[in-house]
């Protein structure tokens, strides 16, 4: 991670427990809208929104599930895709995963993942890049928290996840009812009522579901 990105994370977010997964501490923004406006104002065309600064509902639900069901990841190689703060990756590492790789397209998110992993005393390999046109490497479990927030992202994500699932990886997704999740491709594993920042979600609690991808469903995208 770059020193500049790490300094930005430390300056604009403070270490605090995650509301629904208090076992994990993350660097989180106290005032969401201020940071969002700051990054949009300075880097509107090049810098992604500061998704890394918040514990989104899908990630919280998926991290809770992994924490409560460590057998899902224990002893396995795990990929956390669109990792944001690294919450899900950290939960997997704490649950005994053999190795955890967290991939993000935002350099500041990569810095946040590294700082958060260090703060929680676990190892996570934070990586900058877009791998959606490729594969999951040697991952045996792929975890995705709250990534179906736009139609374009959902289409790319589904194609990637179907590819890696058909190659043998188990795919779990945490989603708080985003419009673009193709629910007919998944089976439900668990449901939670997750506390969220009202400034971002317009509510204080979002019902969040943990899903498992079924790659063999008829008509699935190829």
């Amino acid at each position: 991670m770059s020193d500049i990105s790490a300094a930005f994370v430390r300056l604009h977010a403070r270490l605090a427990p995650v509301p629904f997964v208090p076992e994990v501490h993350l660097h989180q923004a106290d005032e969401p809208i201020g940071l969002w406006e700051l990054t949009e104002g300075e880097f509107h065309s090049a810098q992604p929104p500061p998704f890394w600064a918040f514990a989104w509902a899908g990630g919280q639900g998926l991290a809770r599930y992994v924490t409560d069901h460590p057998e899902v990841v224990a002893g396995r190689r795990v990929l956390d895709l669109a990792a944001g703060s690294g919450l899900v990756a950290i939960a997997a590492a704490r649950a005994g995963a053999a190795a955890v790789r967290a991939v993000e397209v935002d350099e500041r998110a990569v810095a946040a993942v590294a700082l958060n992993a260090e703060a929680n005393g676990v190892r996570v390999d934070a990586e900058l890049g877009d791998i959606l046109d490729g594969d999951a490497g040697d991952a045996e479990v792929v975890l995705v928290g709250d990534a179906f927030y736009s139609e374009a992202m959902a289409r790319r994500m589904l194609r990637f996840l179907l590819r890696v699932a058909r190659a043998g990886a188990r795919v779990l997704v945490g989603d708080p009812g985003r419009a673009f999740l193709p629910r007919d491709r998944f089976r439900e594993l668990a449901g939670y009522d997750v506390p969220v920042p009202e400034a971002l979600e317009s509510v204080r609690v979002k019902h969040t579901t943990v899903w498992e991808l079924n790659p063999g469903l008829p008509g699935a995208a190829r």
Side-chain angles (χ1 to χ4, degrees), residues 14 23 60 66-67 69-71 76 84-86 90 94 104-106 120 123 127 133 155 165 169 178 192 208 212:
R14 66 179 181 87
E23 300 93 329
Q60 289 196 67
V66 168
T67 297
H69 300 85
E71 68 279 1
R76 293 178 171 85
S85 64
I90 291 165
R94 292 184 73 257
E104 252 293 345
V105 297
D106 181 357
N120 286 275
R123 176 173 177 174
E127 177 183 325
D133 293 326
R155 286 179 176 175
R178 304 299 185 202
Y192 306 103
T208 298
E212 181 169 9

Side-chain angles (χ1 to χ4, degrees), residues 114-132:
L115 290 171
N116 289 333
E118 181 180 12
N120 286 275
V122 297
R123 176 173 177 174
V124 172
D125 295 322
E127 177 183 325
L128 180 67
D130 181 343
I131 66 170
L132 289 184

